[in-house]
DNA sequence: TCCCTTGTTATGAA
DNA sequence: CTTCATAACAAGGG
């Protein structure tokens, strides 16, 4: 569920149902961070996504849903786990489980910059490159997960992008040849759209080249280690992916 | 049954 | 004050 492309699937699914502005007829769920009465009898004016955030926009505020690691949603269905937020609309019921819910006041555009949403039309690769150049000591496995640079990229995308560009996860930004830096930014977006396509086809895992794999496409052994600041699992091929070192003067 | 994870934040140490 | 590391939380699949 949680990486950016999956949120786009949810947004598209719901947007297709509602060309108009549905009114919230009932609000259910145990979400504590928000005053549910705020939503009652209000019209939803838009559904948006930003990175891993799903946004339900009202005139004066926006409800933000973050699915974290285990979050799910159901359309016109229920399940046994406690409901975090349920919205009853005229035609449909939207149920969200195991997610974090927040209310953002005012215009949603004041809260987000879509230039760093990896899935957005507004995506700005030059801005991403500039931010990367400002953190020369950072590791490539960490920067890909940085939501201020690549909003929407998660652990799967991180691993697959690094394999695609044949760069070792422990390479520092300052050591990356310029062409590889560009490729990093370009593939972060490219792979995210492949992820979107394959997720819709239900073939995502079939296309993994390193993530959760035992060997890479060239039949080399895959390493699986907790790397980077956050110690997230990193899958990579020592033979295919090059560890760049900055040249000593 | 146990182990693992598409993620983030609160907390406290340094 | 800031930065960093660790703990905490969650549900379902293999």
């Amino acid at each position: 569920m949680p990486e950016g492309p999956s949120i786009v699937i949810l947004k598209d699914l719901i947007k297709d149902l509602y060309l108009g502005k549905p009114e919230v007829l009932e609000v259910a769920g145990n979400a504590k961070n928000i005053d549910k009465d705020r939503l009652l009898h209000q019209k939803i004016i838009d559904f948006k996504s930003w990175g891993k955030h799903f946004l339900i926009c009202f005139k004066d505020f926006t409800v933000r849903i973050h699915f974290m690691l285990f979050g799910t949603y159901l359309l016109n269905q229920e399940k046994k786990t406690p409901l975090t937020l349920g919205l009853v609309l005229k035609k449909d019921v939207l149920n969200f489980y195991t997610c974090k819910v927040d209310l953002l006041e005012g215009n949603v555009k004041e809260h987000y910059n879509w230039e760093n949403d990896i899935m957005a039309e507004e995506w700005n690769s030059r801005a991403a490159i500039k931010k990367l150049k400002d953190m020369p000591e950072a590791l490539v496995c960490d920067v890909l997960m940085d939501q201020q640079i690549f909003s929407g990229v998660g652990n799967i995308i991180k691993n697959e992008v690094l394999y695609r560009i044949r760069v070792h996860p422990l390479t520092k930004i300052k050591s990356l040849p310029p062409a590889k830096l560009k490729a990093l930014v370009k593939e972060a977006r490219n792979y995210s759209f492949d992820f979107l396509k394959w997720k819709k086809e239900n073939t995502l895992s079939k296309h993994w080249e390193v993530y959760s794999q035992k060997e890479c496409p060239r039949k080399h052994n895959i390493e699986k280690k907790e790397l980077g600041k956050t110690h997230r699992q990193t899958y990579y091929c020592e033979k295919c992916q090059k560890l760049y070192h900055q040249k000593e003067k």
Side-chain angles (χ1 to χ4, degrees):
Chain A
M1 179 62 224
E3 296 195 39
S6 299
I7 307 303
V8 170
I9 289 172
L10 166 61
K11 179 194 69 178
D12 289 345
L13 170 75
I14 297 188
K15 273 184 98 107
D16 283 350
L17 292 175
Y18 290 103
L19 299 173
K21 296 179 180 173
E23 183 184 340
V24 176
L25 303 178
E26 289 175 47
V27 186
N30 59 18
K32 293 189 182 89
N33 273 351
I34 62 164
D35 175 9
K36 295 202 286 288
D37 290 342
R38 286 284 297 276
L39 320 192
L40 206 52
H41 306 305
Q42 300 296 308
K43 285 181 180 172
I44 297 172
I45 60 173
D46 206 359
F47 297 97
K48 292 177 179 290
S49 66
W50 180 89
K52 300 167 189 172
H53 299 195
F54 179 59
L55 304 168
I56 305 170
C57 308
F58 296 82
K59 182 165 167 283
D60 299 317
F61 61 91
T62 292
V63 173
R64 166 172 75 199
I65 297 184
H66 197 304
F67 292 96
M68 306 298 285
L69 203 50
F70 306 120
T72 51
Y73 60 88
L74 287 173
L75 183 62
N76 299 318
Q77 292 176 70
E78 293 174 19
K79 63 173 187 170
K80 284 176 189 164
T81 50
L83 180 66
T84 310
L85 182 68
L87 299 181
V88 179
L89 309 179
K90 190 173 179 184
K91 285 161 48 188
D92 300 284
V93 181
L94 313 179
N95 287 327
F96 302 98
Y97 301 89
T98 332
C99 51
K100 197 161 72 87
V101 181
D102 289 290
L103 197 144
L104 309 176
E105 296 291 350
N107 189 327
V108 71
K109 289 180 181 174
E110 305 297 317
H111 293 269
Y112 294 102
N113 179 359
W114 269 270
E115 283 194 353
N116 46 34
D117 175 0
I118 197 73
M119 302 299 293
E121 283 179 28
E122 296 91 332
W123 168 251
N124 184 336
S125 57
R126 286 177 59 213
I129 287 171
K130 185 170 183 302
K131 287 180 216 166
L132 291 172
K133 286 182 173 170
D134 284 341
M135 43 200 309
E137 296 297 327
L139 304 176
V140 291
C141 63
D142 283 328
V143 299
L144 276 168
M145 299 285 278
D146 186 331
Q147 299 300 295
Q148 298 308 311
I149 306 174
F150 297 106
S151 324
V153 169
N155 206 32
I156 295 174
I157 296 174
K158 173 193 83 178
N159 284 291
E160 293 297 312
V161 166
L162 290 177
Y163 185 77
R164 277 191 172 186
I165 66 171
R166 302 293 190 266
V167 170
H168 191 288
L170 294 177
T171 299
K172 287 181 179 176
I173 292 298
K174 69 177 181 187
S175 308
L176 270 182
K180 288 293 182 184
L181 184 69
K182 276 189 180 174
L184 174 76
V185 172
K186 190 174 179 190
E187 277 308 317
R189 183 167 165 91
N190 275 353
Y191 181 80
S192 295
F193 280 91
D194 286 339
F195 183 124
L196 175 66
K197 181 179 74 186
W198 292 328
K199 183 85 179 175
K200 283 181 179 170
E201 296 173 355
N202 215 8
T203 63
L204 179 63
S205 59
K206 270 200 253 176
H207 289 88
W208 288 337
E209 294 189 305
V210 288
Y211 179 77
S212 199
Q213 303 304 299
K214 287 264 184 283
E215 44 181 45
C216 80
R218 296 175 183 173
K219 307 296 177 195
H220 304 135
N221 188 43
I222 294 280
E223 303 291 329
K224 179 193 181 193
K225 291 184 179 158
E226 292 182 349
L227 301 181
K229 278 189 297 192
T230 55
H231 309 289
R232 294 298 300 276
Q233 288 294 0
T234 307
Y235 297 83
Y236 61 100
C237 174
E238 286 281 3
K239 290 183 178 151
C240 296
Q241 292 172 254
K242 181 171 176 185
L243 178 56
Y244 293 89
H245 297 282
Q246 193 178 37
K247 297 177 202 89
E248 300 296 332
K249 285 180 183 169

